Amino acid sequence: MRYPFFILLSVLFLFSQKSISQSYSIFQGVVIENGSGDKVEGAYVALQSLKKSTITNREGIFQFSIPANLDTLTVTVTHVAYKSKVLKVGLPFEGLLNIKLIPNETELKAVTVEAGVSERKTLSETKLSRERIKELAMGFGEADPLATLRGSPGVVTVGDLGGAWYVRGGHYSQNAVLWDGVPLINPQHLLGILSVFNPDAIESVSLRKDGFPVSIGGSLSSFLEVEGRSSPDKAWLEGGVGLLSSRLSFSGEKGDTQYSLGVRRSYYDAISKPYNSMYEDKEGFDPLPEYSFTDINGKVKHKWNERLTQELGFFLSYDDLDLKNENSISIDSKWGNAVLSNKFEYDFSEKERLTLLTGYSAYRLRADVDNGAELAGEQEIDLLTGKATYQNAGFLGMAIKAGAFATQYGFETEKGGKDNGDFNLRDFVSTDRLGEYGAFFSLGNSGSEPFFWNAGLRSVYYANDSFGSFHVLPRLLAGFGKKKYKLRLSYDETVQARHMVSLLGFSMPTDIWYPAQENLPPSVSRQLTLSGSYKLGFVDFDAGVFAKKQKNISDLRDGAQGLSADPTQNLAVGNAEAFGLEVQVKAELGKWRLEGNYTLSRAEYDIRELNDGKPFAPPHDIRHSANIQASWRFAKKWTANMFWYFSSGYLTTVPEGISIFQVGVPAHPKFVPVYGQRYNYRMPDSHRMDLSVQYVRRGEKGKSVWSFGIHNLYNRANPYFIFFGIDRPDDGHWSISKKTKSLLPLIPSVSYSFELYP
């Protein structure tokens, strides 16, 4: 990647020279609430004549780069809690433009074509903008959307890295990730250290846990929607250097076209490869793992006319792990994602829109493992998808959404092995296809009434050469609310036609996917959620309960061997249920911003072929989880952030005893573990505190940010996985000892990021 990376930098430099050849000036302002003078965060500010838009930050401030030869400018400001405002401004304008918004008597309840917001955190949805994600960079000093979203109520993780996230008692395989509306198979780099999302290359992320629109589906528990960046906003060039990786992104516009490109690369291999080469001839040398990842994102948005807009986007990620150890195990593994998206939006009017989306997504995994027997495994997943969505927010005073979709999946799984003298592993190749076809329709009120509702149906048909399954999925959202309080009820049915085999018991690239088939039907989930919120002064309270029932949930059979040409040999199918309570408190007072949440949940599996037919708790039955986050702007340019989390231990299976056999000549003992009940041991609880301090320096030509952080402040040894040893104490009785492995101690970090304005 060395030479292509420098070529890419050269191309970016050439484009940037063209971009800055024009003369620009900075136009900025602040949006405040009329009467109270409170700063309005998340207001949508648009310059229609220039086709530019942005959102206000925590201080209510917005900023644009505009041509210096303009005489006047029309500014439109909107916010869901305030009345819209349009004003004309004479240019040039010095200083900050003050814009006062008048609060609405009631909040807007309809879901229409929605403007961006910098942050929205409810029990049902968490949405964050790119700027907010960067503000919350913690631990290693690297801003990461998934790390930020894991602190949401109802979301729990395992261990320090949190490569997998579990939503409301569901398995991590039940979470969908959509990049510009197209499914992304694997959103994690190795062990979940970082997600595959470069924060400079995204516009916003949104995690939905209930109240799902009928236009999305295919997973059971949650939908993470990631919008790629197209608008240049203020900066035409931005990037950063951190402990784990460096990144660079470029954006600009020419006429009616906006474009962006982002690249991120880790550099651990730049250290480990020379080190290994230096000491490889030394006796007893244990080489360092050689690991790297690369992410590349790009998007072009073109406005063909006043009604028609097109967006073309792509996403690439690539991981390469090489671990060599002559005495134990060697691993050579490579995996990566590729996503292409093409979206047309045609606006018949301000309230009526037709969206056509087509996309392609691919995932590739290859793992070569040598632990005495040489094993090789591969999986290739491809999908081609298309969707048409019609929205009308002014249909007889109501909002309607209707559309149709089709997706074609391809799965190819291969396993190979070589004879090592003791046994021979048989090769196989498994190829499966699956089609997904359906339609959706929803209807809801579109005014600002205190009562709001939205009801819809999503129908889907799954089929291949020997299998077919049809599902009708009702969804309902209803409630009552005013500015200070809100009550909300939702019912969601979802279906998922993919089953996952976790070969290691926790999230890794070696997780294998299988499509639904005759003896492995699609999983179905039904979730009921009741929640309420209340605003008391500067404090917001949210509380809710949920209940979830699922059928056709799969889990590994006893003695399963992992990869198999027939997944039904390894997977048993049954039912599952989960229920819980979520509480969230948010407060903002002066320079302080505090957030805290707590989740109580319980999950249970009932798979008759497992655990002697008795119900059992799955590994992700994590009963308690809590998160506390605090921000303190203690000086004009300085902000301190603190994040603390707690979660109960997850469940795993440990032997209840051992059998000892005498083998060989001369005889020596061979130990065979004896297992009893499934998932019979709960790991120790996990908790950790991270601190960071940011220094932000702004100027007319750009912004720079220094971030200093400490991951795991009090050096908590959180267990990531467990293994076993055989002990023989003085009394001569053999026993099993449990040993846990922790990965990340106290780690200081420093990172630097910048933004350059034209």
Side-chain angles (χ1 to χ4, degrees), residues 356-617:
L356 300 177
L357 172 69
T358 57
Y360 169 76
S361 182
Y363 178 65
R364 299 290 184 267
L365 163 68
R366 176 172 179 82
D368 294 304
V369 181
D370 185 0
N371 58 348
E374 296 183 25
L375 308 176
E378 291 187 29
Q379 180 160 64
E380 298 182 0
I381 303 176
D382 297 89
L383 68 88
L384 187 64
T385 186
K387 181 169 65 174
T389 305
Y390 171 77
Q391 297 178 84
N392 190 333
F395 180 75
L396 300 178
M398 292 181 289
I400 65 171
K401 179 184 288 187
F405 58 92
T407 303
Q408 188 69 36
Y409 296 89
F411 299 80
E412 183 172 303
T413 306
E414 179 179 351
K415 177 183 177 182
K418 295 182 180 179
D419 190 353
N420 71 342
D422 296 326
F423 57 88
N424 185 59
L425 295 172
R426 185 176 57 188
D427 295 349
F428 74 80
V429 176
S430 171
T431 302
D432 300 286
R433 300 289 176 184
L434 182 68
E436 178 186 28
Y437 318 96
F440 53 86
F441 177 82
S442 68
L443 181 68
N445 62 343
S446 59
S448 57
E449 299 90 355
F451 292 98
F452 59 96
W453 61 274
N454 189 283
L457 289 174
R458 180 182 175 90
S459 61
V460 59
Y461 178 68
Y462 295 104
N464 56 24
D465 294 338
S466 59
F467 163 78
S469 179
F470 180 71
H471 305 266
V472 177
L473 309 168
R475 296 179 184 177
L476 173 67
L477 172 65
F480 173 87
K482 291 191 175 183
K483 186 175 182 179
K484 288 191 174 182
Y485 64 90
K486 180 187 293 186
L487 293 175
R488 187 177 183 277
L489 174 71
S490 68
Y491 175 77
D492 299 279
E493 288 196 17
T494 52
V495 61
Q496 179 173 318
R498 294 171 290 116
H499 295 263
M500 194 188 73
V501 175
S502 178
L503 301 181
L504 298 178
F506 50 88
S507 175
M508 283 288 286
T510 52
D511 295 340
I512 301 297
W513 291 93
Y514 292 102
Q517 44 198 273
E518 185 174 357
N519 296 318
L520 194 63
S523 305
V524 178
S525 178
R526 298 176 176 87
Q527 180 179 232
L528 181 66
T529 306
L530 176 63
S531 62
S533 61
Y534 184 75
K535 185 176 181 63
L536 180 62
F538 59 88
V539 182
D540 294 325
F541 298 93
D542 296 88
V545 293
F546 67 87
K548 182 186 298 185
K549 286 187 174 293
Q550 300 176 332
K551 66 177 183 179
N552 302 329
I553 301 300
S554 60
D555 199 7
L556 283 173
R557 297 178 183 272
D558 295 332
Q561 297 300 313
L563 289 176
S564 172
D566 180 8
T568 60
Q569 296 179 359
N570 282 341
L571 296 174
V573 176
N575 300 322
E577 65 178 15
F579 52 89
L581 165 71
E582 299 169 356
V583 179
Q584 178 177 256
V585 179
K586 297 181 294 182
E588 188 167 358
L589 181 62
K591 298 180 180 180
W592 283 91
R593 184 170 187 166
L594 303 172
E595 298 177 12
N597 62 72
Y598 167 76
T599 301
L600 170 67
S601 66
R602 181 173 181 177
E604 186 176 81
Y605 278 10
D606 187 3
I607 303 177
R608 297 301 179 181
E609 297 181 56
L610 303 179
N611 204 48
D612 298 326
K614 300 176 183 178
F616 58 92

Side-chain angles (χ1 to χ4, degrees), residues 5 32 63 68 134 255 477 537 545 586 594 616 621 732 747:
F5 184 72
I32 61 177
Q63 181 172 287
K134 291 182 178 181
L477 172 65
V545 293
K586 297 181 294 182
L594 303 172
F616 58 92
D621 176 44
I747 301 176

Side-chain angles (χ1 to χ4, degrees), residues 37-38 40 42 203 233 310 426 482 528 532 549 596 638 644 718:
D38 293 340
V40 178
E203 194 69 33
D233 293 338
Q310 182 183 7
R426 185 176 57 188
K482 291 191 175 183
L528 181 66
K549 286 187 174 293
W638 291 88
W644 180 85
N718 288 315

Side-chain angles (χ1 to χ4, degrees), residues 32 40 46 59 120 140 155-156 164 285 293 341 353 439 486 563 723:
I32 61 177
V40 178
E59 300 299 324
R120 178 171 57 247
F140 301 113
V155 180
V156 296
F285 172 64
F293 67 78
S341 66
R353 172 178 290 179
K486 180 187 293 186
L563 289 176
F723 59 100

Side-chain angles (χ1 to χ4, degrees), residues 689-756:
M689 178 179 289
D690 298 338
L691 292 181
S692 72
V693 177
Q694 286 188 342
Y695 173 77
V696 182
R697 184 177 180 180
R698 293 181 172 88
E700 292 185 0
K701 294 298 183 180
K703 180 177 76 170
S704 62
V705 180
W706 284 96
S707 181
F708 309 91
I710 300 178
H711 172 88
N712 199 358
L713 178 65
Y714 48 84
N715 201 29
R716 165 72 177 181
N718 288 315
Y720 191 72
F721 58 87
I722 190 171
F723 59 100
F724 314 102
I726 306 297
D727 296 331
R728 185 178 186 179
D730 296 336
D731 59 8
H733 292 86
W734 297 93
S735 63
I736 296 177
S737 61
K738 307 178 187 69
K739 302 177 182 179
T740 59
K741 180 66 175 179
S742 300
L743 298 181
L744 298 178
L746 183 151
I747 301 176
S749 66
V750 59
S751 64
Y752 172 78
S753 62
F754 66 90
E755 296 180 7
L756 297 181

